[in-house]
Amino acid sequence: MALNKEDIINAVAEMSVMEVAELIEAMEEKFGVTAAAAVVAGPGGGEAEAAEEQTEFDLVLTSAGDKKVNVIKAVREITGLGLKEAKGAVDGAPATLKEGMSKDDAEEAKKKLEEAGATVELK
């Protein structure tokens, strides 16, 4: 017998706080996701007020461009990777080079890579 959404909601409503926390952990592990609190705007709140400013950025190399050697050097400087690993990342573009960077660090890294001839995105 398959459970519908209402059955699941009723079952969760009967759980203790600890049981719900354990359920959330189990679901995060099972599905490889993280539960995040939703942002709710109060009365008169616009979309701009409800949206949180992004604080962590992923540095994604989309193309190495014509100056591959310069890009490899920049990737090594930014990531601390060895020559072989940096070359692999550049050859495997598009590739995420670094995750969870601050806005300033991400923009600085993007600038270095673009000056070396690469095409880069911040996500």
Side-chain angles (χ1 to χ4, degrees):
M1 180 176 147
L3 296 173
N4 63 31
K5 285 189 279 184
E6 190 173 318
D7 293 335
I8 295 169
I9 291 170
N10 290 334
V12 171
E14 294 175 14
M15 292 179 166
S16 70
V17 174
M18 283 301 292
E19 289 172 323
V20 171
E22 290 170 358
L23 175 64
I24 291 169
E25 275 184 35
M27 290 174 72
E28 288 175 338
E29 190 174 303
K30 170 82 175 173
F31 300 110
V33 297
T34 303
V39 178
V40 179
E47 285 183 36
E49 293 174 2
E52 284 188 39
E53 184 177 340
Q54 185 175 352
T55 58
E56 291 188 353
F57 296 84
D58 295 345
L59 181 66
V60 180
L61 176 69
T62 55
S63 170
D66 296 335
K67 301 176 183 176
K68 200 158 134 179
V69 172
N70 292 339
V71 174
I72 292 171
K73 288 178 183 178
V75 168
R76 290 188 68 199
E77 180 183 337
I78 292 164
T79 63
L81 292 173
L83 179 60
K84 185 176 180 180
E85 293 83 6
K87 184 179 182 306
V90 171
D91 288 341
T96 301
L97 299 178
K98 214 167 181 184
E99 296 178 336
M101 299 178 74
S102 71
K103 185 176 183 175
D104 292 339
D105 290 344
E107 286 179 354
E108 183 178 326
K110 180 180 178 186
K111 182 179 176 186
K112 284 181 186 178
L113 286 165
E114 287 175 341
E115 287 173 356
T119 306
V120 183
E121 283 183 8
L122 297 180
K123 293 187 176 184

mmCIF file of all heavy atoms in Angstrom, residues 1 3 6 14 18 27-29 31-33 37 39 56 59 66 74 91-92 97 108 111 121:
data_model
loop_
_atom_site.group_PDB
_atom_site.id
_atom_site.type_symbol
_atom_site.label_atom_id
_atom_site.label_comp_id
_atom_site.label_asym_id
_atom_site.label_seq_id
_atom_site.Cartn_x
_atom_site.Cartn_y
_atom_site.Cartn_z
ATOM 1 N N MET A 1 0.844 -1.183 0.000
ATOM 2 C CA MET A 1 0.000 0.000 0.000
ATOM 3 C C MET A 1 0.889 1.246 0.000
ATOM 4 O O MET A 1 1.764 1.402 0.831
ATOM 5 C CB MET A 1 -0.886 -0.007 1.256
ATOM 6 C CG MET A 1 -1.784 1.169 1.359
ATOM 7 S SD MET A 1 -2.857 0.986 2.798
ATOM 8 C CE MET A 1 -2.999 2.672 3.252
ATOM 9 N N LEU A 3 1.770 5.192 0.433
ATOM 10 C CA LEU A 3 1.345 6.317 1.266
ATOM 11 C C LEU A 3 1.193 7.552 0.391
ATOM 12 O O LEU A 3 1.992 7.791 -0.501
ATOM 13 C CB LEU A 3 2.390 6.599 2.346
ATOM 14 C CG LEU A 3 2.635 5.505 3.386
ATOM 15 C CD1 LEU A 3 3.807 5.883 4.273
ATOM 16 C CD2 LEU A 3 1.393 5.286 4.221
ATOM 17 N N GLU A 6 -0.665 13.213 2.419
ATOM 18 C CA GLU A 6 -1.413 13.469 3.651
ATOM 19 C C GLU A 6 -1.050 12.447 4.734
ATOM 20 O O GLU A 6 -0.876 12.812 5.899
ATOM 21 C CB GLU A 6 -2.919 13.444 3.379
ATOM 22 C CG GLU A 6 -3.740 13.937 4.568
ATOM 23 C CD GLU A 6 -5.222 14.057 4.218
ATOM 24 O OE1 GLU A 6 -5.536 14.542 3.119
ATOM 25 O OE2 GLU A 6 -6.020 13.663 5.079
ATOM 26 N N GLU A 14 2.823 13.454 14.248
ATOM 27 C CA GLU A 14 2.756 12.689 15.485
ATOM 28 C C GLU A 14 4.133 12.418 16.085
ATOM 29 O O GLU A 14 4.234 11.922 17.199
ATOM 30 C CB GLU A 14 2.033 11.360 15.226
ATOM 31 C CG GLU A 14 0.580 11.547 14.869
ATOM 32 C CD GLU A 14 -0.109 10.239 14.492
ATOM 33 O OE1 GLU A 14 0.453 9.159 14.756
ATOM 34 O OE2 GLU A 14 -1.218 10.312 13.934
ATOM 35 N N MET A 18 12.794 15.202 18.258
ATOM 36 C CA MET A 18 13.986 14.391 18.020
ATOM 37 C C MET A 18 13.764 13.425 16.855
ATOM 38 O O MET A 18 14.644 13.236 16.019
ATOM 39 C CB MET A 18 14.376 13.603 19.278
ATOM 40 C CG MET A 18 15.062 14.450 20.345
ATOM 41 S SD MET A 18 16.576 15.245 19.765
ATOM 42 C CE MET A 18 17.622 13.819 19.556
ATOM 43 N N MET A 27 16.870 11.493 5.581
ATOM 44 C CA MET A 27 16.469 11.889 4.230
ATOM 45 C C MET A 27 17.612 12.619 3.522
ATOM 46 O O MET A 27 17.849 12.409 2.326
ATOM 47 C CB MET A 27 15.209 12.764 4.281
ATOM 48 C CG MET A 27 13.972 11.974 4.690
ATOM 49 S SD MET A 27 12.511 12.998 4.919
ATOM 50 C CE MET A 27 12.138 13.421 3.228
ATOM 51 N N GLU A 28 18.325 13.483 4.235
ATOM 52 C CA GLU A 28 19.463 14.180 3.649
ATOM 53 C C GLU A 28 20.512 13.172 3.184
ATOM 54 O O GLU A 28 21.061 13.292 2.087
ATOM 55 C CB GLU A 28 20.079 15.158 4.660
ATOM 56 C CG GLU A 28 19.235 16.376 4.938
ATOM 57 C CD GLU A 28 19.794 17.265 6.033
ATOM 58 O OE1 GLU A 28 20.595 16.786 6.865
ATOM 59 O OE2 GLU A 28 19.424 18.438 6.057
ATOM 60 N N GLU A 29 20.783 12.188 4.026
ATOM 61 C CA GLU A 29 21.779 11.169 3.691
ATOM 62 C C GLU A 29 21.309 10.318 2.509
ATOM 63 O O GLU A 29 22.053 10.071 1.565
ATOM 64 C CB GLU A 29 22.031 10.285 4.915
ATOM 65 C CG GLU A 29 23.210 9.362 4.761
ATOM 66 C CD GLU A 29 23.513 8.620 6.045
ATOM 67 O OE1 GLU A 29 23.738 9.268 7.079
ATOM 68 O OE2 GLU A 29 23.517 7.379 5.984
ATOM 69 N N PHE A 31 19.080 10.939 0.094
ATOM 70 C CA PHE A 31 18.904 11.621 -1.180
ATOM 71 C C PHE A 31 20.034 12.578 -1.537
ATOM 72 O O PHE A 31 20.004 13.230 -2.576
ATOM 73 C CB PHE A 31 17.555 12.376 -1.189
ATOM 74 C CG PHE A 31 16.379 11.462 -0.991
ATOM 75 C CD1 PHE A 31 15.658 11.497 0.183
ATOM 76 C CD2 PHE A 31 16.029 10.544 -1.962
ATOM 77 C CE1 PHE A 31 14.586 10.644 0.384
ATOM 78 C CE2 PHE A 31 14.954 9.684 -1.774
ATOM 79 C CZ PHE A 31 14.239 9.727 -0.601
ATOM 80 N N GLY A 32 21.056 12.705 -0.659
ATOM 81 C CA GLY A 32 22.185 13.572 -0.948
ATOM 82 C C GLY A 32 21.830 15.038 -1.029
ATOM 83 O O GLY A 32 22.364 15.763 -1.858
ATOM 84 N N VAL A 33 20.907 15.485 -0.178
ATOM 85 C CA VAL A 33 20.477 16.887 -0.182
ATOM 86 C C VAL A 33 20.613 17.468 1.217
ATOM 87 O O VAL A 33 20.844 16.760 2.178
ATOM 88 C CB VAL A 33 19.003 17.037 -0.642
ATOM 89 C CG1 VAL A 33 18.848 16.572 -2.076
ATOM 90 C CG2 VAL A 33 18.074 16.268 0.254
ATOM 91 N N ALA A 37 16.030 26.176 5.496
ATOM 92 C CA ALA A 37 14.841 26.897 5.943
ATOM 93 C C ALA A 37 14.370 27.828 4.836
ATOM 94 O O ALA A 37 15.156 28.472 4.170
ATOM 95 C CB ALA A 37 15.167 27.706 7.195
ATOM 96 N N VAL A 39 12.707 31.153 3.274
ATOM 97 C CA VAL A 39 12.664 32.561 3.650
ATOM 98 C C VAL A 39 11.244 33.055 3.426
ATOM 99 O O VAL A 39 10.693 32.924 2.343
ATOM 100 C CB VAL A 39 13.657 33.377 2.796
ATOM 101 C CG1 VAL A 39 13.573 34.847 3.148
ATOM 102 C CG2 VAL A 39 15.063 32.862 2.995
ATOM 103 N N GLU A 56 28.196 32.303 -0.726
ATOM 104 C CA GLU A 56 29.186 31.324 -1.150
ATOM 105 C C GLU A 56 29.054 31.092 -2.650
ATOM 106 O O GLU A 56 27.955 30.970 -3.173
ATOM 107 C CB GLU A 56 29.006 30.003 -0.402
ATOM 108 C CG GLU A 56 29.368 30.105 1.058
ATOM 109 C CD GLU A 56 29.366 28.748 1.742
ATOM 110 O OE1 GLU A 56 28.956 27.748 1.119
ATOM 111 O OE2 GLU A 56 29.790 28.700 2.894
ATOM 112 N N LEU A 59 33.497 28.364 -8.236
ATOM 113 C CA LEU A 59 34.286 28.842 -9.359
ATOM 114 C C LEU A 59 34.298 27.741 -10.421
ATOM 115 O O LEU A 59 34.809 26.655 -10.176
ATOM 116 C CB LEU A 59 35.713 29.155 -8.887
ATOM 117 C CG LEU A 59 36.689 29.695 -9.913
ATOM 118 C CD1 LEU A 59 36.239 31.081 -10.381
ATOM 119 C CD2 LEU A 59 38.083 29.780 -9.307
ATOM 120 N N ASP A 66 42.720 29.967 -25.587
ATOM 121 C CA ASP A 66 43.893 29.685 -26.414
ATOM 122 C C ASP A 66 45.186 29.570 -25.617
ATOM 123 O O ASP A 66 46.148 28.968 -26.063
ATOM 124 C CB ASP A 66 44.067 30.792 -27.465
ATOM 125 C CG ASP A 66 42.899 30.840 -28.448
ATOM 126 O OD1 ASP A 66 42.230 29.809 -28.628
ATOM 127 O OD2 ASP A 66 42.658 31.919 -29.017
ATOM 128 N N ALA A 74 47.375 29.556 -13.575
ATOM 129 C CA ALA A 74 46.415 30.284 -12.739
ATOM 130 C C ALA A 74 45.600 29.306 -11.889
ATOM 131 O O ALA A 74 45.355 29.559 -10.707
ATOM 132 C CB ALA A 74 45.493 31.134 -13.609
ATOM 133 N N ASP A 91 41.788 20.567 -18.958
ATOM 134 C CA ASP A 91 41.410 19.734 -20.108
ATOM 135 C C ASP A 91 39.973 19.245 -19.995
ATOM 136 O O ASP A 91 39.313 19.021 -20.998
ATOM 137 C CB ASP A 91 42.351 18.525 -20.232
ATOM 138 C CG ASP A 91 43.741 18.910 -20.714
ATOM 139 O OD1 ASP A 91 43.900 20.006 -21.284
ATOM 140 O OD2 ASP A 91 44.674 18.101 -20.506
ATOM 141 N N GLY A 92 39.475 19.098 -18.764
ATOM 142 C CA GLY A 92 38.119 18.597 -18.544
ATOM 143 C C GLY A 92 37.064 19.674 -18.454
ATOM 144 O O GLY A 92 35.959 19.426 -17.993
ATOM 145 N N LEU A 97 36.254 24.348 -10.131
ATOM 146 C CA LEU A 97 37.600 24.401 -9.585
ATOM 147 C C LEU A 97 37.599 24.521 -8.063
ATOM 148 O O LEU A 97 38.447 23.956 -7.391
ATOM 149 C CB LEU A 97 38.374 25.581 -10.181
ATOM 150 C CG LEU A 97 38.569 25.541 -11.695
ATOM 151 C CD1 LEU A 97 39.297 26.799 -12.159
ATOM 152 C CD2 LEU A 97 39.331 24.291 -12.108
ATOM 153 N N GLU A 108 38.135 37.583 -7.373
ATOM 154 C CA GLU A 108 39.578 37.709 -7.595
ATOM 155 C C GLU A 108 40.095 36.531 -8.426
ATOM 156 O O GLU A 108 40.862 36.709 -9.368
ATOM 157 C CB GLU A 108 40.305 37.766 -6.246
ATOM 158 C CG GLU A 108 41.796 37.974 -6.367
ATOM 159 C CD GLU A 108 42.471 38.069 -5.005
ATOM 160 O OE1 GLU A 108 41.863 38.588 -4.052
ATOM 161 O OE2 GLU A 108 43.612 37.605 -4.911
ATOM 162 N N LYS A 111 38.961 36.863 -12.003
ATOM 163 C CA LYS A 111 39.750 37.870 -12.704
ATOM 164 C C LYS A 111 41.093 37.286 -13.150
ATOM 165 O O LYS A 111 41.523 37.477 -14.287
ATOM 166 C CB LYS A 111 39.961 39.088 -11.795
ATOM 167 C CG LYS A 111 40.729 40.216 -12.444
ATOM 168 C CD LYS A 111 40.872 41.389 -11.504
ATOM 169 C CE LYS A 111 41.722 42.473 -12.124
ATOM 170 N NZ LYS A 111 42.011 43.557 -11.200
ATOM 171 N N GLU A 121 32.768 31.085 -14.829
ATOM 172 C CA GLU A 121 31.462 31.458 -14.276
ATOM 173 C C GLU A 121 31.513 31.345 -12.766
ATOM 174 O O GLU A 121 32.208 30.485 -12.228
ATOM 175 C CB GLU A 121 30.368 30.485 -14.762
ATOM 176 C CG GLU A 121 29.902 30.686 -16.146
ATOM 177 C CD GLU A 121 28.776 29.710 -16.490
ATOM 178 O OE1 GLU A 121 28.285 28.998 -15.583
ATOM 179 O OE2 GLU A 121 28.404 29.659 -17.664
#
